[in-house]
Amino acid sequence: MTLILNHQSGKQLKSHIRKCVLATLVLSSLVVCDGGVLAKEALSAAAMTPLQLVQSGRYVQALPAFKKMALQSPGDASINYYLGLCAMSAREYDLAEASFCKVVAGTPPASPFVPLAQHQLQLLPHKYAPQCALTNGKLYHWQKGQQLKVYISDGCNVPGTGMGVLSSERYAQTVAAARNSMASQPMVHDYKQGDQTLVLEGIKAWDWAVREKYFSYTFVRDPKLADIIVMFTEQPNGCTLYPFAAGQPVLSWASIGSAGGENTSEEHANHVKMIMAHEFGHCLGLWHASGKMDLMLPIIEFVGDKTREAPDAMTSENDKASLRALYALPADMIL
Ligand SMILES: [Zn+2]
């Protein structure tokens, strides 16, 4: 019955795949109603649909068909899940992990495939626990390999922004103010000259993904040219917002919330760097994680931990698995 339920949720299947699934549904019904032995025995492997091969335990034989389907429908949770099972059986563990990670990253957590994929991932070598990358039900990411132009303001912020959701109108106004008159925007309280450099160091947390060619980045001096505009906030948390329309930049706020008070300059530097590293994960399209060692946890647990300060130590293996999975999925909005 689980299999039948699963396939009712596979709405995005292309027509020929849909036919295949419908045929399977009919046969699955026969299995349920009539015991199924006759239906199974009557079919040779060649006559079986990929799902029937899986149902009869012939995972390796079903693998080529699921590989083909995953190319045609890379965001389909059911196909990715069965591809993962088949790849696992064929000892193609990298493919199995990548497929299950895609299920978790691209599917609402309420889907029955998510806990199934999470369980399978724990049986595989890396034991990845990726995050769901959906932000308000949508997947956002850049074109893979794109060079991102990043502008970091010199401590300025557009008044009235910095935290929380903006309406589309307010977003457009903020973008216009940031693009056209950033230099004349007020500087946030407690901003120090070196904070711009700390933002830059935070972004380096994602340099591993540059090496893996997911994106590259360069810094621009003119906010009009930027894909990502970084401003500052004195709030304790940073914030990142996605555009409403094509051509608008992503807006991100680096927090210097601990600049004053009793914090040492070292604690301050660590705070700015870590929060920006987290925000840049959002800039790349990631949503929040739940693992204590993950940079994308809403409240970073390891701020101040010296072993996590080096650029390559800031992201966890789960953060990495999430980003790789996100960029293997079709986006609802290409940033
Ligand atoms: Zn966050």
Side-chain angles (χ1 to χ4, degrees), residues 237-240 275 278-279 282 286-288 295-299:
N237 302 311
C239 179
T240 297
I275 301 269
H278 174 100
E279 292 309 320
H282 289 316
L286 289 177
W287 184 234
H288 285 139
L295 177 64
M296 295 315 293
L297 193 70
I299 298 170

Side-chain angles (χ1 to χ4, degrees), residues 174-231:
T174 307
V175 167
R179 276 178 170 167
N180 301 323
S181 58
M182 183 65 95
S184 60
Q185 300 298 328
M187 198 172 277
V188 299
H189 190 57
D190 282 336
Y191 176 76
K192 294 193 201 81
Q193 208 62 43
D195 290 345
Q196 222 176 12
T197 313
L198 296 172
V199 165
L200 202 144
E201 284 181 30
I203 292 173
K204 283 185 183 170
W206 301 93
D207 278 5
W208 64 268
V210 174
R211 293 193 293 274
E212 292 185 15
K213 309 217 183 305
Y214 284 92
F215 71 101
S216 62
Y217 61 93
T218 185
F219 295 100
V220 291
R221 289 174 182 274
D222 182 353
K224 288 195 192 76
L225 303 175
D227 301 307
I228 298 169
I229 294 180
V230 181
M231 294 176 275

Side-chain angles (χ1 to χ4, degrees), residues 103-139:
V103 174
V104 181
T107 316
S111 159
F113 286 108
V114 171
L116 291 171
Q118 286 169 326
H119 173 73
Q120 297 300 332
L121 280 167
Q122 292 313 303
L123 306 175
L124 284 159
H126 291 98
K127 299 192 188 308
Y128 289 132
Q131 67 200 58
C132 176
L134 291 161
T135 303
N136 296 327
K138 286 185 179 175
L139 287 180

Side-chain angles (χ1 to χ4, degrees), residues 150-159 161-163 166 170-171 173-179 181-182 185-186 188 191 195-196 199 223 228-234 237-241 249-256 272 275-276 279 283:
V150 183
Y151 172 86
I152 306 169
S153 90
D154 196 8
C156 296
N157 190 18
V158 176
T161 60
M163 294 304 295
L166 300 178
R170 193 80 188 90
Y171 197 90
Q173 287 165 0
T174 307
V175 167
R179 276 178 170 167
S181 58
M182 183 65 95
Q185 300 298 328
V188 299
Y191 176 76
D195 290 345
Q196 222 176 12
V199 165
I228 298 169
I229 294 180
V230 181
M231 294 176 275
F232 287 84
T233 174
E234 52 275 271
N237 302 311
C239 179
T240 297
L241 300 176
V250 167
L251 297 178
S252 191
W253 284 267
S255 160
I256 54 164
V272 177
I275 301 269
M276 192 58 219
E279 292 309 320
C283 290

